[in-house]
Amino acid sequence: LGALVKKVWSVRRFLVLLCAPLALVPVLLSLPPKEGRCLYVILLMALYWCTEALPLAVTALLPIVLFPFLGILPSNKVCPQYFLDTNFLFLSGLIMASAIEEWNLHRRIALRVLMLVGVQPARLILGMMLTTSFLSMWLSNTASTAMMLPIANAILKSLFGEKDTSKDMNRENEENQASLQQNKLYTVPTEMQFLASTEDKDLTEEKEVASDAVSDLKKEEEYKTNIWKGFLISIPYAASIGGTATLTGTAPNLILLGQLKSYFPECDVVNFGSWFMFAFPLMLIFLLLGWLWISILYGGINLRGWRTKKSNIRVDAEARAREVIKEDYQKLGPTKFAEQAIFFLFCMFAIMLFSRDPKFIPGWASLFAPGFISDAVTGIAIVIVLFFFPSQKPSFKWWFDLKAPNTETQPLLTWRKAQETVPWNIILLLGGGFAMAKGCEESGLSVWIGGRLHPLEGVPPPVAVILITIVIALFTEFASNTATIIIFLPVLAELAIRLKVNPLYLMIPGTIGCSYAFMLPVSTPPNSIAFSSGHLMVKDMARTGLLMNLMGVLLLSLAMNTWAKSIFQLGTFPAWANIHAENATSLLTAVENVTLSAL
């Protein structure tokens, strides 16, 4: 039986690939023809995404085949969804991240921040979280985690690299204690009886000192283990939180932008600048509270011992950690011209994206024809410079020195390097989500789903925000956050129309909630990378992540009902959503008439 189970498990992906299309056939028969076929494709893709029967990017290509074959959308409407301007905005962020990684600018920034915050465990955890979250705003969450963990391990080894030595000291103290007990039982001559009471007293004191030393060493070992866990668990959490702060920080943010353009073409309130003004304060508050929780839970902050004097072991360990950070920073050498150039272009990248159309003041895009300049134009314009800007400081003397060698100057980033480092599969995954959204809209499935949401119409919008965030945060613990938001966003858009609230009021919490997956190692790639170090257990992530999830839900609800209302005009039902609602109502009436005539 065990051998049979292993064989079935080894071919589980093939079984899912084979059985899922057959198991979903009843969906085709129970719904109106076009809506049923679209729902069939969406459920099939959701099943493949959740089980990873196919690679995620390959599953994202299914609409190109299934939508035309099933008569949902022609191929000339499906294929363009894979190369929308939102995809190019994300691509520009990935290429900029490749250039930063190519010249180790991210490592220099990380080590510099750690040198500034100090080497006390709580400060180091804060430094790790601040650095990781900042990098994750621009790099992928996985890359930020993979870069920061080796730095954390080097610091931890310098802090606690004497675990084996401490165990030897522990064993030595136990042997000394045993020898003391033997000495206590040693027989003394009768003529020395008058000294017995004094000797016994001294030996008892020595025994107490030895037991105190053993107890202190055990506490020190427990402290080291907890700090080690706190360091490792803080990095993936900070990466997930930091990715929410910018539109290019994580894929779900861009999927929201793309699906808004598909469902509500007139919606122009979400761009890089407006999103940053909303999400960056939320990220900072969540990061601070998360740091306090991790530091208190794992001993970085001792609420009872603020005035307790640090042991010599800890003082020496912190001095070693300071030296390790300084040594790693010095190994990078002086700042290169290429690093300075990339840092300048990176700042231009962020400033131009933020100032294109910040909403509260006219942006530089207002100098051009309305609707012509998008965030994708800005991002691609900056990253093109990377491919021809020299990586070495140009010399004007070279032009006048005829004997100087004619060597080709290396640019900041070569196309070969970009090909190797850019995760192209994410571009396809985004395109699959946009194609799915387009199919839902064109087939009338999103309207059909909205017609089935009558029981939720009486739910107060603030309660709906909390419920949506909880459901999506729990769902994304077991499924890809990209796949999760692709599945849920069409439903949230229709639910908002039914509740007569601004669609962004429900769609933004759903999008950010996808990044709040803290409880399981399989929830996100950063969690998996930290867990693979071997120093964390599932229960560590579960007990830490549970409160992190709760804090995330409550803070997100607070943000949506306070400063987000003024940034995205959430207090009113916008005209761009009203147009969609009118179209949806007429389409729903047509669908019901077709269904009744068929019956």
Side-chain angles (χ1 to χ4, degrees):
L1 181 62
L4 180 62
V5 170
K6 288 181 180 179
K7 284 185 180 293
V8 172
W9 181 253
S10 65
V11 296
R12 66 192 185 281
R13 292 185 177 179
F14 177 75
L15 292 175
V16 171
L17 284 171
L18 186 65
C19 298
L22 299 175
L24 294 173
V25 168
V27 174
L28 291 170
L29 306 176
S30 59
L31 270 71
K34 204 168 185 180
E35 291 86 337
R37 290 193 293 268
C38 186
L39 183 60
Y40 175 83
V41 175
I42 289 173
L43 291 178
L44 184 65
M45 292 176 67
L47 191 58
Y48 285 171
W49 270 328
C50 292
T51 60
E52 296 190 20
L54 285 174
L56 297 181
V58 176
T59 301
L61 295 174
L62 288 180
I64 296 177
V65 179
L66 296 180
F67 279 0
F69 270 125
L70 296 177
I72 300 168
L73 274 179
S75 62
N76 62 355
K77 286 190 175 181
V78 179
C79 294
Q81 303 303 314
Y82 288 81
F83 289 98
L84 297 175
D85 62 341
T86 306
N87 297 67
F88 283 97
L89 172 61
F90 191 49
L91 178 61
S92 67
L94 296 176
I95 293 175
M96 178 60 73
S98 295
I100 291 172
E101 292 176 22
E102 170 71 5
W103 294 99
N104 267 335
L105 178 61
H106 59 321
R107 187 173 181 84
R108 186 179 294 276
I109 293 171
L111 292 172
R112 189 65 184 171
V113 170
L114 293 177
M115 289 171 65
L116 291 174
V117 297
V119 293
Q120 288 82 3
R123 291 188 180 184
L124 275 176
I125 291 174
L126 178 62
M128 286 285 176
M129 295 184 74
L130 287 173
T131 308
T132 307
S133 60
F134 173 76
L135 293 175
S136 187
M137 289 165 59
W138 315 102
L139 312 180
S140 71
N141 298 352
T142 306
S144 303
T145 305
M147 192 276 294
M148 290 300 296
L149 276 176
I151 297 175
N153 279 322
I155 295 171
L156 287 167
K157 285 176 182 176
S158 67
L159 279 170
F160 308 136
E162 316 230 323
K163 280 188 173 183
D164 294 334
T165 307
S166 61
K167 288 178 182 176
D168 293 339
M169 290 171 61
N170 193 0
R171 194 180 302 112
E172 183 180 344
N173 280 322
E174 289 177 357
E175 290 174 358
N176 290 339
Q177 186 177 349
S179 66
L180 285 174
Q181 290 176 351
Q182 286 181 354
N183 289 337
K184 185 178 179 182
L185 295 174
Y186 187 81
T187 55
V188 292
T190 54
E191 60 266 27
M192 300 288 290
Q193 290 286 335
F194 69 96
L195 295 174
S197 59
T198 307
E199 289 182 0
D200 285 346
K201 190 174 182 181
D202 293 339
L203 290 172
T204 303
E205 289 177 358
E206 290 181 21
K207 179 180 175 182
E208 290 175 356
V209 170
S211 64
D212 288 343
V214 172
S215 175
D216 289 343
L217 283 170
K218 286 181 179 178
K219 289 180 180 178
E220 197 69 26
E221 285 297 318
E222 185 179 353
Y223 170 79
K224 290 177 181 180
T225 303
N226 285 335
I227 292 295
W228 198 296
K229 289 180 178 180
F231 262 73
L232 295 180
I233 211 166
S234 67
I235 292 172
Y237 288 2
S240 296
I241 296 169
T244 63
T246 60
L247 272 180
T248 57
T250 187
N253 299 354
L254 287 166
I255 291 172
L256 169 68
L257 183 63
Q259 294 206 10
L260 278 174
K261 291 180 179 179
S262 177
Y263 281 108
F264 311 105
E266 301 299 320
C267 175
D268 63 345
V269 295
V270 177
N271 57 40
F272 191 92
S274 61
W275 182 272
F276 186 82
M277 286 190 295
F278 157 70
F280 186 69
L282 174 62
M283 182 207 77
L284 286 180
I285 297 170
F286 195 8
L287 205 66
L288 178 61
L289 293 178
W291 166 69
L292 287 173
W293 166 235
I294 291 171
S295 298
I296 292 171
L297 183 62
Y298 291 102
I301 295 177
N302 186 359
L303 296 178
R304 297 180 180 178
W306 285 101
R307 298 180 181 179
T308 304
K309 187 178 179 181
K310 286 189 289 190
S311 66
N312 291 331
I313 297 175
R314 294 188 189 180
V315 172
D316 293 340
E318 289 174 5
R320 287 195 303 272
R322 190 182 293 107
E323 288 302 317
V324 166
I325 297 172
K326 190 180 294 184
E327 183 180 347
D328 282 354
Y329 187 80
Q330 290 173 349
K331 284 180 182 177
L332 295 174
T335 306
K336 304 178 184 67
F337 174 77
E339 293 178 68
Q340 296 173 349
I342 288 176
F343 182 73
F344 174 77
L345 290 173
F346 167 72
C347 292
M348 288 294 297
F349 179 83
I351 292 170
M352 288 187 70
L353 282 173
F354 181 80
S355 60
R356 182 186 69 84
D357 186 16
K359 298 302 178 185
F360 59 92
I361 56 172
W364 59 265
S366 60
L367 301 175
F368 301 89
F372 276 66
I373 306 294
S374 68
D375 286 335
V377 176
T378 309
I380 293 296
I382 295 294
V383 299
I384 285 175
V385 179
L386 296 171
F387 292 99
F388 67 81
F389 198 88
S391 59
Q392 295 180 353
K393 191 174 182 179
S395 174
F396 291 103
K397 293 180 180 179
W398 179 85
W399 293 95
F400 304 102
D401 187 2
L402 299 179
K403 295 181 180 180
N406 297 324
T407 55
E408 186 177 355
T409 305
Q410 185 82 358
L412 292 174
L413 185 66
T414 63
W415 182 248
R416 181 183 294 276
K417 187 65 179 179
Q419 281 182 309
E420 293 172 356
T421 55
V422 170
W424 301 99
N425 59 320
I426 303 296
I427 304 294
L428 295 178
L429 195 57
L430 287 177
F434 299 150
M436 183 187 287
K438 192 69 175 177
C440 287
E441 182 188 4
E442 294 285 333
S443 67
L445 177 62
S446 59
V447 178
W448 181 87
I449 292 173
R452 301 298 180 273
L453 297 175
H454 291 295
L456 298 176
E457 290 183 7
V459 178
V463 176
V465 168
I466 294 176
L467 292 177
I468 287 166
T469 312
I470 291 173
V471 169
I472 291 180
L474 290 176
F475 191 88
T476 198
E477 294 285 351
F478 305 96
S480 159
N481 57 358
T482 306
T484 300
I485 199 59
I486 289 172
I487 295 167
F488 276 95
L489 272 183
V491 179
L492 297 180
E494 292 301 326
L495 178 59
I497 298 296
R498 288 284 164 183
L499 294 177
K500 287 292 180 183
V501 298
N502 192 316
L504 294 175
Y505 189 68
L506 301 185
M507 296 174 79
I508 289 176
T511 302
I512 294 183
C514 279
S515 297
Y516 291 168
F518 304 113
M519 291 180 62
L520 295 174
V522 297
S523 300
T524 62
N527 287 10
S528 301
I529 293 171
F531 185 77
S532 65
S533 66
H535 298 284
L536 293 172
M537 293 185 288
V538 175
K539 67 178 183 180
D540 296 324
M541 301 198 84
R543 69 169 180 164
T544 313
L546 178 60
L547 188 60
M548 291 290 290
N549 276 8
L550 291 175
M551 282 194 296
V553 169
L554 295 176
L555 286 174
L556 186 53
S557 177
L558 174 67
M560 293 305 300
N561 289 288
T562 50
W563 67 85
K565 282 195 171 183
S566 59
I567 295 173
F568 299 117
Q569 294 95 44
L570 299 180
T572 58
F573 192 69
W576 48 263
N578 204 27
I579 295 172
H580 178 83
E582 291 171 359
N583 294 337
T585 303
S586 60
L587 186 56
L588 181 60
T589 305
V591 169
E592 289 174 349
N593 292 337
V594 170
T595 306
L596 289 172
S597 62
L599 294 174

